[in-house]
Amino acid sequence: MRASGVSKQVSSGGQPLTILDHVDLDVAAGESLAIVGSSGSGKTTLLSLLAGLDLPSSGEIALAGTSLNGLDEDARAALRAGRVGFVFQSFQLLAGFTALENVMLPVELAGLGDARARATAALESVGLSARLGHYPQQLSGGEQQRVALARAFCGEPQILFADEPTGNLDTITGGHIIELMFELNRARNTTLVLVTHDATLAARCGRRLTLASGRVQAQ
Amino acid sequence: MNVFAFAWRRLRRGWRSGELLIVMLALIIAVAATGTVHLFSERVRLAIGEQSGDTLGADLVYRARDPLPASLQASIDALGLHGTATTLFSSVVFAGDNSALASVKAVGSGYPLRGAITLAAAPFEDGHAAHGVPAPGEAWADARLWQDLQLQPGAELQLGRLHLKLRGVITDEPGKGAGFDDLAPRLLINADDLAASGLLGVGSRAQYELGVSGARDALARLRAEPLADGVKLTTPQDARPELRNSTRSAGQFLDIAVLAATLLACAAVALSARQYGEKLRDEIALLKCLGARRGFLTRALLLQLLLLGLAAGAAGALLAYGAQELLARALGDLLKLDLPPPPLLPLLEAAGLGLLLLLGFAAPPMLAARNTPPLRVFQRSESGSTATRAITLIAMATAAALLWLATGDVRLAGWVLAGAGGALLALASCAWLLVRLLTPLRRAAGGGGFAWRFGLGNIARRRGATIAQVTALGLALLALLLVSVVREDLLSSWQKKLPPDTPNQFLINVQTEELDALKSFFAAHGYADLQLWPMARGRLIALNGKPVTADSFPDPETQRWINRDFNLSWSTTLNPDNRITQGRWWGEAGRGKPLLSADAYAIERLNLKLGDTMTLDFAGEQQTFTVSSFRTVDWDSFKPNFFLLAPPGAVSDLVPRQYLTSFYLPHEQRALLRQLVTQFPNVTVLDIDALMAQVRGIVDRIVRAVEFIFAFTLAAGLAVLLATIEGTRSERVRETALLRTLGAGTGLIARGLIAEYAVIGALAGGVAAIAAQTLAWVLAANVFHIAYGPRPLLWLIGTASGAVVVCGLGWLSLRSTLRTPPNTVLRQS
Ligand SMILES: Nc1ncnc2c1ncn2[C@@H]1O[C@H](COP(=O)(O)OP(=O)(O)O)[C@@H](O)[C@H]1O
Ligand SMILES: [Mg+2]
């Protein structure tokens, strides 16, 4: 994964606003990177650009060896399918779907076989084998985030993007989630991009990138 | 906290966040659509009513057997209305050596106040609208009198002591019925000549009429005044049965459009309120946590509803006023109707409808949200009771009230409500079955067609929403299909009741010895199977053995009817335009038996029961008959029909009889009539071509008006459907964004969406088609009295069009959510 000279501008209220300013970044396969910085420094924006959820105003981004520039929305989605996993601050499970169905989704989207078996195994690995048929509303926040972790790893992604995965959880539950995430990451040798404003958490990653007002302050 | 302040703040916030927008929009569309249709059909109805004033010669006619009281004329003058007096009586008219009994009508200047007399120079020539009335000393006569007296233009006529110059042939005249009650030939004279004739002395029988026309509100005030003894009021609607039926049917067709619009409104508001109620649950749980009491929540919710209802009602009513005005501007010329100004009452009703809709359809699901336990703050699945049964009952009761209010026609509203209720039940059960059926798809994994499995699985996943959506969409489609079925099938069968070859000529006074000659005359001119009906004229002299005269009956209509001869015919077979309602038709077995079959009008006038006996005097020959069956007769069929029928052989051979028939004569063959009267001079020709054209014109106009209103209802229905689908937008946006981040392409998401909506649409459409057709069939049989059979093709069309329409609307509404950028997921909480 590579970003070179990436900038992002948006116009808010007619005035151009620079959210990211010439960010250069290189993440090798299997590496883990923490993006840190205070709230509003552009962490989420950078993550969404790296994952191809959005396009930069200028600069180049390559994901899994493929340049994202010039790819349309669908092509970028196809690139993500089966390669990329996500964990969000607000869990983002589909309400009408059971835990199992939520976890099966990326596998099915990637067209991999055995969705059910994989999803069951993934939920087992996060300790939720007893909650397969439960709906997100029936699960606590920590349990929901565990389902989200299962979903993220189930498709055996090469890269995992996590945006403040413990932001909505208490310290103890958050700690469990983090342990689980690093454990799964280690076992699968997944590339990890973790956004956080927690310094101890960032310390557990192989590298850190500090953002301030959209600029790389330290790497 | 102050409830009002809270409700107000809540409404403003809900408005800004858009969640109330859908409820409000549905409500406004509902009020606007019903209001527009209601208002416009009210105007069309009024206009059609006035139009038939042309056929009566006035907007209102007062009738009495004595000169009308001077106070009536005073009221007419005081209200600024126009009045014109007419006197009718029978008298013998002489022309040279010939004489004939004529029905004389003496008219004053200004007659007719509405419509026109058509006048021709000679019999069977084309007529044109006459200017004014016959000058004093002159007379106009109809073709029958010309024929009976063998008149030439300018001939000298004698009426009592009066000598008149003949000036024209009346080919059409307002107030002339198509039945056989007005058989005597007409002579029209100037009212100023009346006294000179010396015919209206003491004890002479005459009918005095006063026609009135003028401004609508003045007419309404005149109608509200009490009638003097012996005075009867006739309005255009009851002037002629065939027009009365047409206007009544027109009213009912318009009612159906109003009902359909109302149903649509109910469906839209119910669905959007349900969606809103679901959204309210989180908030209510939170408020409860913060210490809000139930009473506070109830008051706050009701207050919100009230404010919402008033705003939507007012906005909808204003929109309705504008829309119906646009409709009227656009269609006024096309309809050839002089639309009266819109009545304002329906507007108020429409605004009130907003409130009623809210209370019946929006309040229950919203108030049910009060049952949400505060625990939901932690566990979103705790939803509390939804009290579905109570909600359904309240909704049904409200729908009943709405339908009844919309039409005031209990029977029509009842049928439509029963139909909608049945459809609702069927829709909900089918939706439930569908959810059941599709549940395995949620678990099926692997293999191709993930998009389909995903879309169809979603139907099963959103169980509650699916059932609600299928029901609401189905109800809306039912309304749409109903108006299109009614338009297609019912309207055209109604129009077909007067096919182009409907008889426009009647022949009467055919004597027994002329029968064969007449038949061969017609056979030679292409009318091979002309059916001739025998007819004897009798006078009712006793009912159940008790002697009767006109004075035995209190009401003037029966008195007038009794005073005339009854026309009695006989047959073993019944024409298709007759239907036995009580008793049995005698068929072949009846030959020679003294039985009678009476038509509904005779039953009503004489208050008949089965088994009553009627004694008739046929020119001295008296015979008693027993009433053995009741019939209804379709008088609009323009075929010979009789109030009284007997079996062949029941009427003594000594009784004089004549024959009559009707047939269709194309305009270009009118010369045949001249040939006919030359060859059979004493056969009388009744030419009702002009009347037919008038009736057809009115029917065509009504059909066109109804079609436009239906089209409008259809458009409103589509808007409602769109609104219900729009209600799911925020959920779709969230879902699409997430699927995107997980790597789903636009195509896959779109296919899933289409699969979901196609199945929901097909199901809703299929059930709606069957329901619409059943309802149309019931309405055809019970309300419109026209033949209508099932058309299975419509079920297919309904299913397919349901799928296409719902898919199309879903696409229209949710297409933009397909482009939701995936990074919105990162910005939501
Ligand atoms: N679409 C947008 N329009 C306007 N401002 C935006 C937009 N997206 C992000 N921002 C702004 O950019 C800055 C960085 O946002 P974000 O990347 O979410 O920061 P972080 O995740 O580090 O808290 C914030 O000030 C945010 O308000
Ligand atoms: Mg952020």
Side-chain angles (χ1 to χ4, degrees):
Chain A
M1 187 183 342
R2 158 171 294 154
S4 50
V6 166
S7 293
K8 180 73 182 173
Q9 268 127 18
V10 294
S11 63
S12 64
Q15 266 173 297
L17 174 73
T18 303
I19 307 174
L20 284 179
D21 199 2
H22 284 91
V23 175
D24 295 303
L25 180 66
D26 233 318
V27 186
E31 206 181 356
S32 64
L33 170 76
I35 302 176
V36 291
S38 56
S39 180
S41 55
K43 305 184 294 293
T44 299
T45 308
L46 179 59
L47 181 93
S48 70
L49 291 176
L50 290 175
L53 301 182
D54 200 0
L55 285 178
S57 310
S58 63
E60 284 270 336
I61 292 179
L63 182 66
T66 312
S67 169
L68 294 180
N69 293 53
L71 290 188
D72 68 1
E73 193 72 65
D74 276 348
R76 281 180 277 139
L79 192 62
R80 279 194 298 275
R83 289 199 188 86
V84 175
F86 279 98
V87 182
F88 306 101
Q89 181 174 357
S90 51
F91 321 141
Q92 299 288 355
L93 301 177
L94 285 180
F97 289 58
T98 61
L100 184 67
E101 286 168 355
N102 264 294
V103 178
M104 278 164 67
L105 258 182
V107 189
E108 300 215 82
L109 284 172
L112 306 172
D114 272 348
R116 168 172 300 271
R118 281 173 193 249
T120 312
L123 279 165
E124 218 161 279
S125 68
V126 297
L128 285 178
S129 48
R131 313 295 295 267
L132 300 184
H134 286 207
Y135 291 91
Q137 305 98 289
Q138 296 169 306
L139 302 171
S140 72
E143 285 162 347
Q144 288 191 45
Q145 197 62 307
R146 267 146 74 191
V147 175
L149 270 182
R151 180 177 69 186
F153 282 105
C154 182
E156 308 258 335
Q158 298 162 15
I159 311 165
L160 177 69
F161 289 102
D163 187 11
E164 310 207 24
T166 61
N168 277 353
L169 299 172
D170 63 277
T171 331
I172 297 178
T173 315
H176 287 316
I177 292 292
I178 291 301
E179 288 309 324
L180 203 54
M181 189 175 79
F182 277 110
E183 196 181 304
L184 291 166
N185 196 43
R186 228 181 349 263
R188 284 164 202 189
N189 199 24
T190 315
T191 311
L192 174 69
V193 177
L194 170 69
V195 165
T196 182
H197 54 255
D198 181 345
T200 46
L201 187 54
R204 299 186 57 170
C205 294
R207 273 173 58 206
R208 276 157 304 283
L209 179 132
T210 311
L211 279 181
S213 307
R215 296 215 177 129
V216 181
Q217 217 167 40
Q219 195 164 13
Chain B
M1 196 196 313
N2 179 321
V3 173
F4 190 82
F6 174 76
W8 179 244
R9 209 174 329 131
R10 180 66 193 78
L11 268 182
R12 276 181 34 198
R13 186 160 61 73
W15 180 255
R16 244 177 291 141
S17 70
E19 52 193 15
L20 271 177
L21 201 70
I22 296 295
V23 182
M24 185 80 174
L25 219 60
L27 212 59
I28 290 178
I29 290 176
V31 172
T34 7
T36 307
V37 172
H38 202 159
L39 217 52
F40 186 65
S41 30
E42 209 50 46
R43 287 178 79 181
V44 169
R45 213 187 296 259
L46 286 173
I48 287 172
E50 282 176 6
Q51 171 128 87
S52 34
D54 291 359
T55 65
L56 183 64
D59 294 322
L60 298 174
V61 174
Y62 290 91
R63 290 201 170 101
R65 293 174 70 190
D66 299 305
L68 287 152
S71 60
L72 185 61
Q73 185 62 55
S75 302
I76 291 171
D77 293 342
L79 287 166
L81 294 164
H82 304 287
T84 180
T86 316
T87 312
L88 279 141
F89 57 96
S90 295
S91 182
V92 178
V93 182
F94 298 92
D97 294 336
N98 299 322
S99 69
L101 186 70
S103 161
V104 183
K105 193 174 199 173
V107 295
S109 65
Y111 175 88
L113 291 169
R114 313 265 300 167
I117 300 172
T118 22
L119 213 56
F124 310 120
E125 281 182 12
D126 285 337
H128 51 86
H131 301 288
V133 294
E138 294 182 354
W140 299 344
D142 67 3
R144 281 203 56 203
L145 198 64
W146 279 71
Q147 194 187 330
D148 288 357
L149 297 176
Q150 295 172 9
L151 298 171
Q152 297 301 318
E156 180 96 356
L157 298 177
Q158 197 187 341
L159 176 71
R161 290 203 294 270
L162 203 60
H163 291 274
L164 298 161
K165 204 156 206 91
L166 183 62
R167 282 297 179 216
V169 189
I170 303 167
T171 55
D172 191 31
E173 170 198 351
K176 180 125 175 121
F180 299 98
D181 53 338
D182 234 358
L183 273 189
R186 168 76 80 225
L187 186 72
L188 203 68
I189 63 168
N190 193 296
D192 292 343
D193 286 338
L194 199 54
S197 73
L199 288 171
L200 284 193
V202 187
S204 58
R205 274 179 185 269
Q207 178 168 295
Y208 297 87
E209 295 186 351
L210 188 57
V212 186
S213 73
R216 282 175 192 98
D217 44 344
L219 284 171
R221 251 174 288 155
L222 185 66
R223 286 181 68 162
E225 289 182 11
L227 286 177
D229 262 358
V231 177
K232 192 173 175 285
L233 175 65
T234 308
T235 60
Q237 282 80 356
D238 38 43
R240 278 180 176 170
E242 68 277 2
L243 284 186
R244 183 168 57 216
N245 290 348
S246 299
T247 37
R248 199 199 302 123
S249 297
Q252 284 166 335
F253 283 130
L254 293 177
D255 273 350
I256 288 197
V258 176
L259 287 179
T262 311
L263 272 184
L264 283 171
C266 295
V269 174
L271 191 69
S272 58
R274 185 189 170 279
Q275 287 164 349
Y276 183 55
E278 283 306 307
K279 284 184 188 140
L280 270 180
R281 282 173 186 272
D282 287 331
E283 175 179 326
I284 283 177
L286 185 69
L287 285 171
K288 278 186 172 177
C289 272
L290 299 179
R293 306 239 181 99
R294 247 181 100 84
F296 173 83
L297 292 173
T298 311
R299 287 196 300 278
L301 279 175
L302 285 178
L303 207 59
Q304 287 183 48
L305 280 173
L306 195 72
L307 292 172
L308 201 66
L310 287 176
L318 279 180
L319 267 178
Y321 191 84
Q324 64 82 28
E325 191 57 45
L326 281 181
L327 211 58
R329 293 256 168 91
L331 304 184
D333 288 345
L334 219 85
L335 292 176
K336 296 199 191 97
L337 284 175
D338 172 28
L339 291 175
L344 291 182
L345 193 66
L347 212 57
L348 208 66
E349 284 171 12
L353 179 89
L355 275 181
L356 202 60
L357 275 173
L358 267 184
L359 290 181
F361 292 96
M366 280 169 71
L367 288 177
R370 282 175 316 159
N371 299 332
T372 316
L375 192 64
R376 183 178 166 102
V377 175
F378 310 108
Q379 294 238 290
R380 297 217 334 130
S381 63
E382 293 290 338
S383 56
S385 109
T386 47
T388 325
R389 202 171 313 151
I391 292 176
T392 316
L393 277 180
I394 294 176
M396 285 304 275
T398 312
L402 284 176
L403 294 180
W404 178 67
L405 281 179
T407 63
D409 186 335
V410 181
R411 233 156 54 95
L412 190 66
W415 283 119
V416 171
L417 184 72
L424 215 63
L425 213 70
L427 282 165
S429 339
C430 286
W432 182 82
L433 259 174
L434 180 73
V435 167
R436 274 314 192 56
L437 225 67
L438 292 180
T439 301
L441 276 183
R442 301 177 60 164
R443 285 191 285 275
F450 172 64
W452 283 95
R453 266 186 299 117
F454 176 72
L456 299 182
N458 270 344
I459 295 177
R461 282 182 198 105
R462 294 190 252 273
R463 195 180 330 153
T466 296
I467 295 178
Q469 221 167 29
V470 168
T471 337
L473 288 174
L475 212 57
L477 284 172
L478 165 66
L480 296 185
L481 283 168
L482 189 63
V483 292
S484 41
V485 166
V486 165
R487 202 195 69 78
E488 271 299 305
D489 299 349
L490 297 193
L491 277 186
S492 61
S493 353
W494 188 47
Q495 262 179 316
K496 268 189 226 122
K497 279 181 85 172
L498 278 187
D501 58 350
T502 304
N504 58 358
Q505 306 292 334
F506 281 83
L507 295 188
I508 58 176
N509 280 337
V510 179
Q511 303 305 315
T512 315
E513 55 276 13
E514 290 172 320
L515 267 185
D516 293 334
L518 192 75
K519 276 188 178 155
S520 36
F521 173 86
F522 271 97
H525 290 93
Y527 294 87
D529 41 359
L530 196 70
Q531 192 188 4
L532 283 134
W533 289 81
M535 185 180 91
R537 293 217 177 137
R539 191 168 267 266
L540 180 68
I541 54 169
L543 199 58
N544 288 324
K546 270 192 12 220
V548 291
T549 65
D551 296 325
S552 316
F553 297 91
D555 70 304
E557 189 168 348
T558 309
Q559 287 171 354
R560 263 189 295 141
W561 193 57
I562 292 284
N563 263 335
R564 288 196 302 262
D565 282 344
F566 284 30
N567 298 320
L568 178 85
S569 184
W570 48 89
S571 171
T572 53
T573 55
L574 208 54
N575 269 5
D577 50 359
N578 281 243
R579 202 161 46 87
I580 297 286
T581 55
Q582 270 187 56
R584 281 186 52 203
W585 180 245
W586 45 71
E588 280 298 327
R591 279 186 189 277
K593 293 186 186 146
L595 300 175
L596 271 188
S597 177
D599 149 81
Y601 184 79
I603 298 163
E604 190 194 329
R605 292 271 75 83
L606 302 177
N607 198 15
L608 288 177
K609 293 173 295 301
L610 284 186
D612 281 353
T613 64
M614 291 175 74
T615 308
L616 299 174
D617 180 332
F618 300 98
E621 192 74 24
Q622 297 186 357
Q623 275 190 270
T624 300
F625 300 86
T626 306
V627 178
S628 72
S629 65
F630 288 171
R631 276 173 305 137
T632 55
V633 173
D634 180 7
W635 292 101
D636 325 358
S637 73
F638 289 90
K639 298 209 172 83
N641 265 306
F642 304 87
F643 289 125
L644 299 176
L645 278 176
V651 176
S652 152
D653 285 343
L654 298 174
V655 172
R657 63 202 55 195
Q658 39 176 270
Y659 290 79
L660 74 156
T661 188
S662 68
F663 61 97
Y664 170 71
L665 183 73
H667 192 78
E668 60 278 9
Q669 285 180 37
R670 289 179 67 83
L672 189 66
L673 289 179
R674 206 181 287 275
Q675 214 174 322
L676 183 77
V677 283
T678 327
Q679 208 162 328
F680 303 92
N682 56 344
V683 168
T684 304
V685 181
L686 282 179
D687 181 0
I688 57 159
D689 209 30
L691 172 73
M692 294 276 315
Q694 202 176 14
V695 171
R696 261 207 202 96
I698 288 182
V699 169
D700 283 347
R701 239 161 280 175
I702 290 169
V703 167
R704 214 169 305 153
V706 170
E707 280 183 342
F708 274 113
I709 289 177
F710 280 4
F712 184 81
T713 311
L714 225 80
L718 290 180
V720 166
L721 288 180
L722 197 61
T724 66
I725 291 174
E726 281 282 335
T728 63
R729 169 184 282 274
S730 63
E731 197 187 336
R732 293 280 175 188
V733 167
R734 216 173 85 89
E735 203 175 283
T736 303
L738 184 66
L739 289 171
R740 271 284 164 75
T741 61
L742 299 179
T746 315
L748 186 136
I749 300 172
R751 282 199 303 279
L753 192 103
I754 287 172
E756 188 177 338
Y757 278 115
V759 169
I760 286 184
L763 180 70
V767 177
I770 295 175
Q773 191 144 73
T774 314
L775 201 54
W777 175 64
V778 171
L779 289 178
N782 290 297
V783 178
F784 298 110
H785 304 295
I786 48 184
Y788 179 72
R791 280 195 313 153
L793 190 64
L794 190 87
W795 306 347
L796 218 71
I797 295 173
T799 311
S801 62
V804 170
V805 165
V806 174
C807 265
L809 290 174
W811 185 252
L812 206 68
S813 160
L814 301 175
R815 185 187 32 163
S816 59
T817 70
L818 292 177
R819 287 195 296 268
T820 311
N823 64 347
T824 51
V825 179
L826 296 164
R827 306 270 172 215
Q828 291 166 344
S829 62

Coordinates of all heavy atoms in Angstrom, one line a residue, chain A residues 10 12 17 19 38-46 163-164 195, chain B residues 827, ligand 1:
Chain A
V10 N -11.8 19.9 0.5 CA -13.2 19.9 0.3 C -13.6 21.4 0.4 O -12.8 22.2 0.9 CB -14.0 19.2 1.4 CG1 -13.7 17.7 1.3 CG2 -13.7 19.7 2.8
S12 N -16.1 23.8 2.0 CA -17.2 23.9 3.0 C -17.7 25.3 3.1 O -16.9 26.2 3.4 CB -16.8 23.4 4.4 OG -15.8 24.2 4.9
L17 N -11.2 23.9 1.9 CA -10.7 23.5 3.2 C -9.7 22.3 2.9 O -10.2 21.4 2.3 CB -11.8 23.1 4.1 CG -11.4 22.5 5.5 CD1 -10.9 23.6 6.4 CD2 -12.6 21.9 6.1
I19 N -8.0 19.2 4.1 CA -8.1 18.3 5.2 C -6.7 17.5 5.3 O -6.3 17.2 6.4 CB -9.2 17.3 5.0 CG1 -10.5 18.1 4.8 CG2 -9.4 16.4 6.2 CD1 -11.7 17.2 4.5
S38 N -4.8 14.2 17.0 CA -6.0 14.6 17.8 C -7.2 14.5 16.9 O -7.1 14.4 15.7 CB -5.8 16.0 18.3 OG -5.5 16.9 17.2
S39 N -8.4 14.7 17.5 CA -9.6 14.6 16.8 C -9.7 15.8 15.8 O -9.3 16.9 16.0 CB -10.8 14.8 17.8 OG -12.0 14.7 17.1
G40 N -10.0 15.4 14.6 CA -10.1 16.4 13.5 C -8.9 16.6 12.7 O -8.8 17.5 11.9
S41 N -7.8 15.8 13.0 CA -6.6 16.0 12.3 C -6.5 15.3 11.0 O -5.6 15.5 10.2 CB -5.4 15.4 13.2 OG -5.7 14.1 13.5
G42 N -7.5 14.5 10.6 CA -7.6 14.0 9.3 C -7.3 12.5 9.2 O -7.2 11.9 8.1
K43 N -7.4 11.8 10.4 CA -7.1 10.4 10.4 C -8.1 9.6 9.6 O -7.7 8.8 8.7 CB -7.1 9.9 11.9 CG -6.2 10.7 12.8 CD -6.2 10.1 14.2 CE -7.5 10.2 14.9 NZ -7.9 11.5 15.2
T44 N -9.4 9.8 9.9 CA -10.4 9.1 9.2 C -10.4 9.3 7.7 O -10.5 8.4 6.9 CB -11.8 9.4 9.7 OG1 -11.8 9.1 11.1 CG2 -12.9 8.7 9.0
T45 N -10.1 10.6 7.3 CA -10.0 10.9 5.9 C -8.9 10.1 5.2 O -9.1 9.6 4.1 CB -9.8 12.4 5.8 OG1 -10.7 13.1 6.5 CG2 -9.8 12.9 4.3
L46 N -7.8 10.1 5.9 CA -6.6 9.3 5.3 C -7.0 7.9 5.1 O -6.7 7.2 4.1 CB -5.4 9.5 6.2 CG -4.1 8.8 5.7 CD1 -3.8 9.2 4.3 CD2 -3.0 9.0 6.7
D163 N -10.9 1.9 12.3 CA -11.1 3.3 12.7 C -11.6 3.4 14.1 O -12.7 3.2 14.4 CB -12.0 4.0 11.7 CG -12.0 5.5 11.9 OD1 -11.2 6.0 12.6 OD2 -12.9 6.2 11.3
E164 N -10.7 3.7 15.0 CA -11.0 3.8 16.4 C -11.9 2.7 16.9 O -13.0 3.0 17.3 CB -11.6 5.2 16.7 CG -10.7 6.3 16.1 CD -10.9 7.6 16.9 OE1 -11.2 7.6 18.1 OE2 -10.6 8.6 16.3
V195 N -6.5 3.3 13.1 CA -6.6 4.7 13.5 C -7.0 4.8 14.9 O -7.9 4.1 15.4 CB -7.7 5.4 12.6 CG1 -8.1 6.8 13.3 CG2 -7.2 5.7 11.2
Chain B
R827 N -18.5 8.2 8.7 CA -19.0 9.4 9.3 C -20.3 9.3 10.1 O -20.9 10.2 10.5 CB -19.2 10.5 8.2 CG -18.0 10.7 7.3 CD -17.1 11.8 7.8 NE -15.9 11.8 7.1 CZ -14.7 12.1 7.6 NH1 -14.6 12.4 8.9 NH2 -13.6 12.2 6.8
Ligands
LIG1 N1 -16.8 16.1 3.7 C1 -16.3 17.0 4.5 N2 -16.7 18.3 4.5 C2 -16.1 19.2 5.3 N3 -15.3 19.0 6.2 C3 -14.8 17.7 6.4 C4 -15.3 16.7 5.5 N4 -14.8 15.5 5.9 C5 -14.0 15.8 6.9 N5 -14.0 17.1 7.2 C6 -13.2 17.8 8.2 O1 -11.9 17.4 8.0 C7 -11.3 17.3 9.3 C8 -10.7 16.0 9.5 O2 -11.7 15.0 9.7 P1 -11.5 13.5 10.1 O3 -10.6 12.8 9.0 O4 -12.7 12.9 10.4 O5 -10.6 13.7 11.4 P2 -10.3 12.6 12.6 O6 -10.8 11.3 12.1 O7 -8.8 12.7 12.7 O8 -11.0 13.1 13.8 C9 -12.3 17.6 10.3 O9 -12.1 19.0 10.7 C10 -13.6 17.5 9.6 O10 -14.6 18.3 10.1

